[in-house]
Structures are given as structure tokens and as C-alpha cells.
Amino acid sequence: MYTQALDLSTSPDVSSLPLGALEQKFYATIENEGKIEPQDWMPEDYRKTLIRQISQHAHSEVVGMLPEGNWISRAPSLRRKVILLAKVQDEGGHGLYLYSACETLGVNRDKLIDDLLTGKAKYSSIFNYPTLTWADVGVIGWLVDGAAIMNQIPLCRCSYGPYARAMIRICKEESFHQRQGYELLMTMMQGTQEQQAMVQDAVNRWWWKCLAMFGPPDSASQHTEQSSRFGIKRISNDELRQQFIDATVPQADILGVSLPDPKLRWNPERAHYDFGAIDWEEFWNTVKGDGPCNQERLATRQQAWEEGKWFREAALAYSQKHAGHPTASL
Ligand code: BYC
């Protein structure tokens, strides 16, 4: 899915073309909604931007397993436990697709993981908050996955082939994740008053963090202009945030919860919901490492990496042992 373009010589050899012609071809491909493949010429900034974004995305999936993983052993029924296990496993899979897509840009996976474990690389702000009750599992599905889908659907049309193809599969799975969260919350909202209060409390704690997930306002987004020119970013942070709010308010009404924003109201002139101010200072503090769970999340990943060392070594020894074996190339 990600690397097949490396195996096929579908593109003519353009290495002898002057830089201007290479650049023209690159932008013409993007203009014509074609795909840039790993063996195609690409500007260095394009490669760097993709490595930054795809690796951050992969790290977010892997770190994103932790807040919900916290509830697997405490799921209230076998059915809920099986669903949650499958969801968390899907997220691990998304991380692996994305690391593979990133490797097609010539970067080593060990380096990417090292950047995460040493705190050099970013991952989504949203995973630095704690999951205090079972309702948080439902709210993560409904709102966090809902926000993620809103951001990720346009990435299926991103100009880099391996990333776009990975996103198609990821989005299909994310949409199940979102629905399982909504269904979980629906069930709780039909339950006792305590359950309903638990859902409302979780919505109150996660709502603003989900709005910040889309990234800084367009006026402060340093990468939007270039990423749009490269055909990586199709819709801006603010536009996606607005689309998410517009889609979510009616869902909250059906669920019977209120969203914690007194300024949230339909504006018929804009044909969108108006909403209150996001706390960007809190967002940046969290992104920079001072959120409530940053240290815990990194420590957990570091421990998992250490504990998996024996397995990586065994897999490597096995592949080396069989490298010269006659069946190795079958
Ligand atoms: N958190 O110029 P901007 C999931 C950074 S996982 C942290 O707007 P860009 C799931 C940004 O990186 C889904 N940092 O950047 C998994 C940049 O800093 P650097 C995760 C953020 O790239 C498990 C700086 O702020 N989704 O769904 O044009 C369970 C300036 O921003 C955040 C993706 O990764 C943030 N929220 O736009 C459940 C999607 N926002 O890199 C669910 C792929 C911004 O210069 N990524 N920053 O140091 C993207 O679409 C874009 O990278 C963003 C940001 C929209 C996130």
C-alpha cells in the first residue's frame, strides 16, 4: 500500500532535467491532482514537511493508545472490552502504516522513534489529558475521533501517494471508532442520572481540548501556506474547526448533553455556529510538554520500548539467520 511505488518504474527518468523543469513537473502533478511517489523528484521542503507531519501523526496514534488503554481492564462488560481492545489495536496499526509511509521518504524508523522518546518530536496535544471515568472512553470516540476524521478526510487527497493511501484505510477505521464512542454515550445517556452526569462531565472536560486539536488559528499557523501550496493541506485549521463544530452541535442535541460554551449559537448570516475563545496559552503549554500527562505518556512509551528490546533483537537475529537460506527470497 505504501511502498509499491518504490518497486515500479512508472515514472520516466527525469534526473537529467534542470531544476526548473523538475519543479515545474512537480507542481503540474499537484495541480492536476496527481500523486507524488517516493521515487519522484520533490523539493527538499516538501520531503521535510511530510516527514514532520507524518511522523507526528504516527506518534499521535501510538501515544493515543494510552489514554483509552487505561480502561481496557476496567471495561464494564465483555462486549465493551472487546470493542475497546479492537479500537486500541487499530490505533497501533495506524501508527505502523504511518511509520511505513514516512520511511518511503528516506528516513529511518529508529530515528523517528528516538525523536519521540527523547521528547524532540511532537504528538497531538489531546493525548496529554487524563481519562478519569468510563465516559471519557465514549467522549474520545465521539469527539476526539470525530475531530481526527474531520482533519484526516482531506488528507486522503494529499499529494503524497503513500500518505494519501494510508489515510484512506485509517479514515475507514476511524469512522467506526467515532460511532462506537457515540453509541457508548447513547447507552449511558439512557441509563441512571449518575451515568448521565458522568457523560456531561466528560464532555465538559474534553470539548475545548478537541477544538484546539485542529492547531493554532490560521493567522498563527506557520505551515499552512506552504503545506497548501504543496497539496498536503487542503483545508485550513480554522475551517476544519468550524466544520467540526457545525457537525457536532446537532449530535450533542440528540445525545442530550450541553456543550460548555455560553457563546455557542447559530449565526444565520454566516450559516455557521459562533463560538467562544479557545485558551491558546494552555494549548501551547501542553504542546511544549507541560500538560497534565506529558511526562507520564513519554515514560510509558520509553518503558514499552525498553521492554520490547528482547523481541526486536530476536526478530533481527531470526531474519539474519534466514537471510542466506534458499527459502528467504520466496
Ligand atoms: N498538537 O502551522 P501549524 C488520532 C503544531 S491521532 C500538537 O498549523 P500544520 C487518534 C504543529 O505541528 C490524530 N502540536 O502546523 C489516535 C506545528 O509545530 P512544528 C493526529 C500541534 O502541520 C488515537 C505548530 O503547532 N492527527 O486521531 O500545518 C486515538 C504550528 O501549527 C497541534 C494528525 O496528526 C496539536 N493539536 O498543521 C484516537 C493529523 N496542532 O511541527 C484518535 C496530521 C498544531 O512546526 N497533521 N501543532 O513543531 C495535520 O493535519 C497537521 O500537522 C495539523 C497542524 C493540522 C495537526
Side-chain angles (χ1 to χ4, degrees):
M1 175 156 59
Y2 323 102
T3 56
Q4 71 270 51
L6 289 168
D7 306 331
L8 302 170
S9 54
T10 45
S11 299
D13 180 16
V14 292
S15 52
S16 56
L17 292 179
L19 189 62
L22 289 171
E23 228 163 7
Q24 246 178 16
K25 184 173 181 297
F26 169 83
Y27 283 111
T29 305
I30 291 173
E31 184 106 327
N32 296 325
E33 295 287 324
K35 292 285 175 243
I36 307 294
E37 296 297 345
Q39 78 282 25
D40 291 339
W41 182 89
M42 59 185 82
E44 207 36 45
D45 280 351
Y46 181 77
R47 186 187 303 278
K48 275 197 196 142
T49 293
L50 282 168
I51 292 175
R52 176 184 66 80
Q53 178 165 329
I54 302 174
S55 63
Q56 286 178 3
H57 196 163
H59 300 327
S60 304
E61 296 283 355
V62 172
V63 177
M65 297 166 78
L66 302 176
E68 290 168 287
N70 182 34
W71 281 92
I72 292 173
S73 61
R74 290 176 286 163
S77 70
L78 182 58
R79 175 171 177 265
R80 293 290 174 200
K81 193 187 192 88
V82 169
I83 294 171
L84 186 56
L85 264 173
K87 179 183 190 289
V88 171
Q89 187 171 303
D90 279 354
E91 282 148 10
H94 297 173
L96 297 182
Y97 313 154
L98 289 164
Y99 284 127
S100 297
C102 203
E103 282 180 307
T104 66
L105 292 154
V107 62
N108 181 296
R109 187 181 303 212
D110 284 349
K111 150 99 177 68
L112 300 177
I113 291 174
D114 193 60
D115 284 351
L116 171 68
L117 299 182
T118 53
K120 250 165 75 187
K122 288 196 172 76
Y123 57 85
S124 183
S125 50
I126 196 78
F127 302 118
N128 290 307
Y129 297 98
T131 40
L132 301 182
T133 70
W134 174 250
D136 290 36
V137 171
V139 168
I140 289 182
W142 175 39
L143 296 181
V144 175
D145 286 290
I149 296 168
M150 200 55 92
N151 161 276
Q152 290 175 177
I153 293 281
L155 291 173
C156 298
R157 292 190 293 119
C158 139
S159 61
Y160 188 56
Y163 192 25
R165 290 190 285 275
M167 288 319 302
I168 291 170
R169 180 158 175 183
I170 290 175
C171 284
K172 284 184 186 164
E173 293 176 350
E174 294 286 15
S175 105
F176 272 104
H177 295 176
Q178 197 263 357
R179 278 183 258 172
Q180 70 79 34
Y182 198 68
E183 193 261 349
L184 187 165
L185 296 177
M186 257 315 183
T187 308
M188 287 186 80
M189 290 303 286
Q190 284 157 11
T192 62
Q193 276 185 356
E194 283 83 357
Q195 286 172 309
Q196 291 165 5
M198 209 185 266
V199 173
Q200 185 61 59
D201 171 64
V203 170
N204 293 348
R205 282 182 289 107
W206 288 92
W207 173 249
W208 289 105
K209 324 285 186 232
C210 288
L211 298 191
M213 249 180 103
F214 291 92
D218 292 352
S219 55
S221 164
Q222 71 207 73
H223 300 296
T224 293
E225 191 277 322
Q226 185 186 61
S227 289
S228 307
R229 193 158 27 86
F230 283 154
I232 297 170
K233 202 166 190 170
R234 300 290 179 150
I235 308 181
S236 78
N237 300 358
D238 283 337
E239 284 174 283
L240 285 172
R241 192 169 5 252
Q242 183 73 62
Q243 282 182 17
F244 172 73
I245 293 169
D246 292 350
T248 308
V249 173
Q251 294 171 8
D253 285 345
I254 294 170
L255 201 54
V257 292
S258 59
L259 297 170
D261 178 359
K263 295 205 166 134
L264 190 66
R265 67 177 57 89
W266 180 251
N267 179 334
E269 277 164 36
R270 292 199 313 122
H272 287 297
Y273 282 92
D274 289 339
F275 55 98
I278 294 169
D279 185 346
W280 290 113
E281 199 182 320
E282 199 232 323
F283 168 79
W284 286 118
N285 283 340
T286 304
V287 170
K288 285 178 192 150
D290 286 332
C293 298
N294 295 60
Q295 286 182 10
E296 183 187 330
R297 299 290 181 243
L298 270 196
T300 310
R301 288 311 315 156
Q302 285 157 353
Q303 188 188 347
W305 185 250
E306 277 308 308
E307 287 174 0
K309 191 165 173 236
W310 69 270
F311 180 80
R312 291 192 301 279
E313 285 172 359
L316 194 65
Y318 182 84
S319 75
Q320 280 163 353
K321 185 172 160 191
H322 289 269
H325 195 273
T327 58
S329 60
L330 290 180

